[in-house]
Amino acid sequence: MFIDSSNYQTHAMKDWKAWRKRERERIIAERLAIASAHNQRWSTAISSLLQQGFPNLRKKKIGLYWPFRGEYDPRPAAHDFMAAGAVLALPEVVGKNKPMHFREWWPDAPMCLGAYDIPVPHETRCIQPDVLIVPMVGFDQKGYRLGYGSGYYDRTLATFSVCPMTIGVAFEMQRLENVHPQLHDIAMHYVITEMGIFQAGRELLQQIPAELCAKNNAVV
C-alpha cells in the first residue's frame, strides 16, 4: 500500500466529487451494457491471470467480494484457491463511515442481505485477510481506484496494522487516465484486467508477465 504525495495527486481539483460521480455513472452504465459473451470471455481471462500470477493465494486468507452491477465475478477463481487450502471472506458493511468486517465465506455458508442488498455471510467468524481482491468501478494509470463513492475500502485499509496485498480487478474498458486521487485514497498494489497483470509503484502501472508476478510473490 502507498499514498503518492507527488504532483500527480490532484487533491485540489475543483469539483472532483462531481467529476467522479459522472464517471462512475458512465462506466457502470457501459459495464452493464457489455454483451454477456464479452463479459464471460474477459472474466475467464482475469480468473486465469489471477491463478497464474498469484498461486500463493491458496495459502492465504483472501478477502473477495460478491459481484454487483456487472462486475467481474471472483468466485470461480476463489473456489480453486479454497480447494487448495485458502480461507475466503466477504466484506460486511457494519455502519456508515465505519471500516468493513470480513466474514468467512464458503459456497454453503449461511447468508443474509447486507448493504445495497448484497449477500453477506451470516454471523460467521471475522477474518483479517492477507490479500484483498478489490472491485473497481474505474482505475487509473497509477493504480488508484474509482469506487462507488462511500469510501469503505480506503477506510478499511487504513485500519490494518499489517497491510494486506491489494489486487484490483476490472475490465480494460474501465481504465481512466486519472481518477484525481485525494489524500485519503490508497492505490492498489496490482491491477488485473483481461489484458494482463499490472503492478503499481511510483511510476505508471507496469505490465508484468504472470510467471514473473508468481515468482515475485512466491512464499519462501
Side-chain angles (χ1 to χ4, degrees):
M1 177 177 68
F2 63 92
I3 301 177
D4 187 358
S5 59
S6 72
N7 59 9
Y8 175 88
Q9 195 167 23
T10 54
H11 57 273
M13 175 196 177
K14 293 181 180 179
D15 299 326
W16 62 270
K17 288 186 178 180
W19 180 89
R20 284 188 177 184
K21 183 176 185 293
R22 290 193 301 270
E23 286 299 290
R24 184 179 297 117
E25 291 173 351
R26 177 186 66 80
I27 293 172
I28 291 173
E30 291 180 0
R31 189 174 65 191
L32 287 170
I34 295 171
S36 58
H38 292 329
N39 187 304
Q40 184 175 0
R41 184 169 69 251
W42 296 345
S43 294
T44 298
I46 293 173
S47 292
S48 178
L49 288 165
L50 187 60
Q51 291 169 299
Q52 293 173 28
F54 300 90
N56 63 317
L57 263 60
R58 59 180 178 265
K59 301 179 181 179
K60 301 291 186 180
K61 297 188 289 293
I62 306 170
L64 62 154
Y65 62 91
W66 197 275
F68 179 63
R69 303 188 73 181
E71 291 172 332
Y72 160 73
D73 186 349
R75 291 173 297 176
H79 287 170
D80 290 340
F81 289 129
M82 183 179 65
V87 175
L88 306 182
L90 290 173
E92 177 187 31
V93 175
V94 296
K96 186 177 181 180
N97 299 323
K98 292 184 178 181
M100 297 183 294
H101 292 169
F102 281 85
R103 291 194 176 275
E104 186 173 8
W105 174 78
W106 57 95
D108 295 324
M111 304 292 285
C112 61
L113 292 180
Y116 309 107
D117 288 335
I118 298 173
V120 297
H122 181 60
E123 296 184 351
T124 61
R125 64 171 176 152
C126 288
I127 299 293
Q128 181 161 329
D130 303 310
V131 179
L132 289 180
I133 300 173
V134 183
M136 303 188 294
V137 173
F139 67 97
D140 71 10
Q141 300 287 52
K142 278 208 165 183
Y144 284 98
R145 169 182 173 269
L146 176 66
Y148 287 97
S150 299
Y152 285 116
Y153 273 95
D154 288 328
R155 192 176 301 115
T156 303
L157 285 169
T159 67
F160 286 115
S161 56
V162 178
C163 178
M165 182 171 68
T166 53
I167 305 171
V169 287
F171 302 132
E172 193 66 34
M173 50 80 65
Q174 298 168 246
R175 184 189 291 262
L176 297 164
E177 184 66 26
N178 189 340
V179 302
H180 304 290
Q182 306 301 295
L183 292 174
H184 62 270
D185 289 323
I186 299 173
M188 300 289 97
H189 291 114
Y190 293 91
V191 169
I192 302 180
T193 76
E194 72 275 11
M195 298 301 293
I197 300 172
F198 303 86
Q199 187 171 15
R202 298 200 62 83
E203 303 300 328
L204 301 182
L205 289 175
Q206 297 293 318
Q207 187 168 3
I208 59 173
E211 297 79 7
L212 178 58
C213 185
K215 181 178 179 181
N216 291 344
N217 288 286
V219 176
V220 179

